């Protein structure tokens, strides 16, 4: 094989929490054909986990199986009528892809600047930020089926996208390895500045007719101000999803908590700001041992020393219990727990 299997490899530098965990076996994938070699050796019949940028995983113990680290690179595009199709390999850093689009003047990704992680994770998580969602620009992805050894293409409809969710997190969890993703952008799309924080920052900078580069720079600025840099403070970004509840439950809560931060979904559902719920429970900035809830955004749990994955998990579990007890809302974690 082009890339050799390695034994007993430290994952500390391969996860953004900076948690020490030893993988029994590890392989770095730079060519998707290597996946066929692994299948032929029946290595997918035992325990394995697909690792991208390591920005959405919490290791609570040593990993007893095979870590398949997707590190294949490459971005290309073609234009057809009023659309551009960009295909990126799974190992590309997401933010590098965003800036590739910006440098080529292709709108549609700029609001998702600086989201951590790699391209391969984008359809699994159905990422989104600041008024822009992946499912609105996703066209297709090429994936390897670890059960059949075949390469398969998934369309947008095939992925069954919903808020921070997809078929790859539900019935197909762990089965398919995303090898590349194709995005469909409108060649003459308009910038989206509907998100309040973006508009406010643009006004502060005196930008009246923002370009996609302006929007990306403003979004990056907002994220840097609100979120800790994983290279200096161990974290995985938002630890929890913003919960979606019924309008009835929302109206009941609003009677008790008039300042509740919420975003209408439709006539039946409301999205509640998980960070606000956590903050109301007194967790924002709170430190327990080597674990701290970030002072600027309560959605983020940080490793401020040499915390173990279990210590972080225990804090997260306590936060879930506190929010449930006070608001009757169950917080779901975004982070994969291993």
């Amino acid at each position: 094989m082009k890339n050799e299997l390695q034994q007993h490899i430290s994952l500390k530098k391969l996860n953004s929490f900076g948690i020490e965990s030893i993988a029994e076996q590890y392989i770095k994938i730079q060519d998707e054909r290597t996946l066929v070699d692994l299948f032929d050796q029946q290595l997918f019949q035992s325990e394995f986990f697909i690792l991208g940028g390591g920005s959405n995983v919490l290791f609570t113990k040593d990993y007893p199986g095979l870590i398949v680290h997707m590190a294949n690179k490459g971005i290309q595009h073609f234009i057809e009528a009023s659309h551009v199709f960009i295909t990126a390999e799974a190992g590309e850093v997401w933010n590098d892809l965003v800036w590739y689009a910006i440098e080529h003047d292709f709108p549609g990704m700029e609001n998702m600047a600086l989201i951590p992680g790699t391209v391969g994770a984008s359809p699994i998580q159905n990422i989104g930020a600041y008024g822009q969602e992946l499912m609105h620009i996703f066209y297709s992805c090429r994936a390897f089926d670890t059960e059949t050894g075949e390469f398969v293409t998934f369309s947008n409809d095939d992925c069954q996208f919903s808020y921070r969710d997809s078929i790859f997190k539900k019935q197909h969890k762990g089965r398919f390895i995303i090898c590349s993703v194709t995005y469909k952008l409108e060649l003459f799309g308009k910038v989206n500045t509907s998100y309040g924080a973006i508009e406010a920052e643009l006004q502060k900078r005196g930008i009246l007719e923002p370009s996609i580069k302006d929007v990306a720079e403003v979004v990056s600025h907002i994220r840097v101000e609100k979120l800790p840099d994983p290279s200096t403070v161990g974290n995985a970004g938002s630890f929890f999803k913003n919960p979606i509840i019924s309008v009835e439950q929302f109206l009941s809560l609003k009677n008790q908590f008039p300042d509740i931060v919420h975003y209408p979904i439709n006539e039946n559902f409301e999205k509640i700001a998980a960070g606000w719920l956590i903050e109301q429970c007194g967790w924002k900035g709170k430190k327990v041992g080597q674990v701290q809830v970030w002072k600027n955004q309560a959605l983020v749990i940080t490793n401020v020393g040499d915390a173990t994955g279990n210590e972080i998990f225990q804090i997260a579990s306590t936060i879930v219990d506190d929010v449930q007890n006070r608001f009757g809302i169950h917080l779901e974690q975004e982070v994969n727990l291993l």
Side-chain angles (χ1 to χ4, degrees):
M1 284 190 297
K2 184 180 177 183
N3 303 291
E4 294 298 320
L5 273 172
Q6 299 179 59
Q7 311 293 324
H8 306 295
I9 295 298
S10 169
L11 301 173
K12 185 167 186 174
K13 293 184 178 178
L14 298 177
N15 72 93
S16 60
F17 265 120
I19 298 295
E20 181 58 277
S21 173
I22 304 297
E24 185 177 318
Q25 291 186 300
Y26 166 90
I27 188 166
K28 186 176 186 178
I29 304 293
Q30 292 172 300
D31 178 351
E32 65 179 35
R33 301 305 302 178
T34 307
L35 299 173
V36 178
D37 296 336
L38 295 175
F39 179 84
D40 290 343
Q41 294 180 52
Q42 301 184 335
L43 287 170
F44 292 125
Q45 292 184 16
S46 302
E47 189 172 354
F48 67 93
F49 180 75
I50 310 306
L51 188 67
S55 62
N56 202 46
V57 62
L58 176 63
F59 290 102
T60 61
K61 58 185 178 181
D62 288 342
Y63 189 71
L66 169 65
I67 293 288
V68 181
H69 184 196
M70 297 301 289
N72 52 332
K73 300 279 188 176
I75 305 174
Q76 55 190 1
H77 73 269
F78 71 90
I79 295 170
E80 187 177 273
S82 62
H83 291 98
V84 59
F85 295 82
I86 305 178
T87 299
E89 301 295 307
E92 284 287 348
V93 173
W94 171 260
N95 196 51
D96 290 348
L97 172 63
V98 170
W99 280 97
Y100 175 95
I102 291 166
E103 285 159 8
H104 287 81
D105 204 23
F106 301 148
M109 292 184 166
E110 58 279 359
N111 294 52
M112 294 189 278
L114 222 57
I115 291 179
T118 51
V119 163
S122 66
I124 298 172
Q125 297 295 120
N126 184 22
I127 61 174
Y130 298 101
Q132 209 160 41
E133 300 290 321
L134 174 108
M135 62 185 181
H136 297 140
I137 61 170
F138 176 92
Y139 183 72
S140 66
C141 67
R142 174 176 165 87
F144 182 76
D145 188 342
T146 60
E147 291 185 7
T148 67
E150 302 291 327
F151 288 93
V152 185
T153 297
F154 286 86
S155 69
N156 192 306
D157 287 343
D158 292 335
C159 294
Q160 298 179 18
F161 290 125
S162 58
Y163 175 65
R164 301 295 169 266
D165 210 351
S166 70
I167 198 169
F168 303 111
K169 289 179 77 173
K170 294 180 287 195
Q171 58 263 53
H172 286 340
K173 186 169 185 178
R175 174 175 172 177
F176 291 92
I177 300 173
I178 308 294
C179 298
S180 64
V181 184
T182 299
Y183 307 89
K184 182 182 180 182
L185 307 179
E186 291 184 31
L187 206 48
F188 307 106
K190 295 178 180 177
V191 295
N192 175 4
T193 60
S194 60
Y195 203 91
I198 295 176
E199 195 62 65
E201 184 61 29
L202 286 168
Q203 287 182 8
K204 192 193 294 185
R205 296 181 182 203
I207 300 172
L208 300 178
E209 295 183 7
S211 65
I212 57 174
K213 184 181 180 186
D214 291 330
V215 172
E217 287 176 344
V218 161
V219 166
S220 299
H221 171 79
I222 295 167
R223 292 187 73 94
V224 167
E225 279 206 328
K226 285 177 65 176
L227 305 173
D229 180 354
S231 67
T232 55
V233 181
N235 76 95
S238 298
F239 199 94
F240 302 101
K241 296 180 185 179
N242 289 320
I244 294 174
I245 63 174
S246 69
V247 167
E248 290 79 13
Q249 186 181 4
F250 164 69
L251 291 174
S252 173
L253 283 169
K254 190 163 175 61
N255 281 334
Q256 297 174 260
F257 308 98
D259 297 331
I260 189 168
V261 178
H262 63 101
Y263 313 95
I265 300 287
N266 53 39
E267 60 204 26
N268 298 314
F269 295 100
E270 291 274 340
K271 187 195 300 182
I272 309 300
W276 184 87
L277 297 172
I278 296 165
E279 188 175 344
Q280 299 310 301
C281 293
W283 279 99
K284 189 174 183 179
K286 189 172 182 179
K287 185 170 182 263
V288 180
Q290 299 299 302
V291 182
Q292 186 170 20
V293 177
W294 187 241
K295 63 184 185 298
N296 296 335
Q297 172 52 272
L299 263 182
V300 180
I301 300 175
T302 65
N303 173 11
V304 292
D306 286 314
T308 67
N310 266 320
E311 287 169 340
I312 292 170
F313 175 66
Q314 291 305 320
I315 297 300
S317 300
T318 305
I319 289 171
V320 170
D321 290 344
D322 286 356
V323 170
Q324 178 73 52
N325 291 336
R326 182 160 189 195
F327 297 101
I329 293 176
H330 177 72
L331 290 183
E332 281 185 60
Q333 64 191 40
E334 275 200 57
V335 174
N336 288 301
L337 193 68
L338 289 179

